[in-house]
Amino acid sequence: MMVSKWWSGLRTVVERPISLLCQSSEFHTIQAIPRECTGSRIAARDRAQGRIPAVVFAQNLLDKNPHNRTLSKKQILTTERKQIKSILDSVELPFFCSTRFPLQIRAGSGSSVLLESGTVLPLKIHRDEESGNILNLVFVWADEGMELKVDVPVVLKGEENCPGLKKGGYLNRIRTSLKYLCPAEHIPPKIDVDVSNLDIGDRVFMRDVEVHPSLKLLSKNENMPICKIVATSLEIPEPAKE
């Protein structure tokens, strides 16, 4: 198949901010209270009371170069387990860690005193290996104007119409996410990749993805494929002639 034939039909786009994912995040303002003490015993007590220990800080604190680290409003917090579960049921993984949420830090559980507020991006969810229960959460500040490194999930769509799959091919999912340097206000919850026009042997490369011009792909090689339609059977060679 000619490249121009399938390329004209290829539509690889980023889910826009009007998506249901972003809409759902607007209805979830994470409520948290400060933690004065830390440690395994304190954390276990918080979990027994239906709370999840959490921390929020500036992402550049993770920079390997100490000169790039700046003082930030690091906060040691706890959140309500029921609320976090409700958010995860609504947004679902892995989109939770590419979706911004408003955060309100209250003086105490049920208090009307607001100590601080802002917008955060979930960075990590630590779970118990056996039970799967959330042990703690890590957030980074994601207020407008900040730049963050984000792993944006890749979602493949159009498999039911893919010519290569109808011929018996196999969809090889090479990358499940792409890392971008994003202004906080332009972080896409996900990237939709349309495979409905791919034939056997066709690929979608990182360079094919259309994103907001302010996003910078953090990859050394943008020619790496995201997915490929591969054949599932090998040609049987003809027997050698005597």
Side-chain angles (χ1 to χ4, degrees):
M1 180 178 64
M2 298 296 291
V3 174
S4 59
K5 180 179 178 182
W6 70 266
W7 179 259
S8 61
L10 177 63
R11 183 171 176 267
T12 305
V13 298
V14 173
E15 191 76 4
R16 299 302 179 189
I18 58 174
S19 69
L20 293 177
L21 292 175
C22 284
Q23 289 179 5
S24 65
S25 70
E26 295 174 358
F27 296 103
H28 292 291
T29 297
I30 297 175
Q31 301 292 333
I33 60 175
R35 271 191 298 159
E36 296 182 359
C37 302
T38 60
S40 58
R41 291 185 179 180
I42 301 297
R45 184 193 66 187
D46 288 337
R47 297 185 193 105
Q49 294 175 349
R51 305 192 64 84
I52 300 175
V55 61
V56 56
F57 55 85
Q59 194 179 65
N60 60 14
L61 285 180
L62 300 176
D63 201 300
K64 295 181 180 179
N65 186 346
H67 298 291
N68 294 335
R69 302 172 189 165
T70 60
L71 294 176
S72 67
K73 48 180 182 178
K74 182 177 179 179
Q75 296 280 5
I76 307 298
L77 311 167
T78 64
T79 59
E80 292 284 351
R81 180 190 298 135
K82 288 183 179 180
Q83 188 193 32
I84 298 301
K85 184 180 183 302
S86 175
I87 294 174
L88 288 172
D89 289 342
S90 175
V91 177
E92 298 182 356
L93 293 173
F95 311 123
F96 179 69
C97 289
S98 56
T99 303
R100 296 193 304 154
F101 297 90
L103 171 70
Q104 292 182 346
I105 303 174
R106 303 281 179 178
S109 181
S111 172
S112 61
V113 179
L114 182 63
L115 301 178
E116 189 171 355
S117 64
T119 305
V120 295
L121 178 76
L123 186 64
K124 290 182 180 179
I125 302 176
H126 296 285
R127 294 180 182 270
D128 183 270
E129 293 183 358
E130 295 182 0
S131 66
N133 294 332
I134 300 176
L135 297 177
N136 54 68
L137 298 166
V138 180
F139 298 95
V140 292
W141 293 109
D143 293 317
E144 188 171 338
M146 294 181 175
E147 286 195 329
L148 302 172
K149 296 178 181 179
V150 185
D151 284 310
V152 184
V154 171
V155 177
L156 304 183
K157 294 189 173 182
E159 296 179 47
E160 65 280 2
N161 298 317
C162 178
L165 296 181
K166 290 183 177 180
K167 293 178 181 178
Y170 168 73
L171 179 57
N172 185 11
R173 303 168 187 266
I174 301 170
R175 296 296 298 266
T176 58
S177 66
L178 296 176
K179 177 167 283 190
Y180 288 93
L181 181 64
C182 312
E185 60 270 26
H186 294 308
I187 296 174
K190 62 177 179 175
I191 293 175
D192 283 341
V193 174
D194 190 348
V195 300
S196 61
N197 290 287
L198 301 186
D199 208 334
I200 292 177
D202 289 338
R203 310 177 188 186
V204 178
F205 296 92
M206 292 184 185
R207 64 171 184 266
D208 301 331
V209 177
E210 298 177 4
V211 296
H212 191 278
S214 63
L215 271 61
K216 179 182 178 183
L217 179 65
L218 297 178
S219 174
K220 296 180 180 179
N221 185 4
E222 64 177 11
N223 294 318
M224 293 291 292
I226 297 173
C227 62
K228 178 183 179 181
I229 307 296
V230 296
T232 55
S233 61
L234 299 176
E235 293 184 2
I236 302 177
E238 295 182 2
K241 295 181 179 180
E242 296 182 356

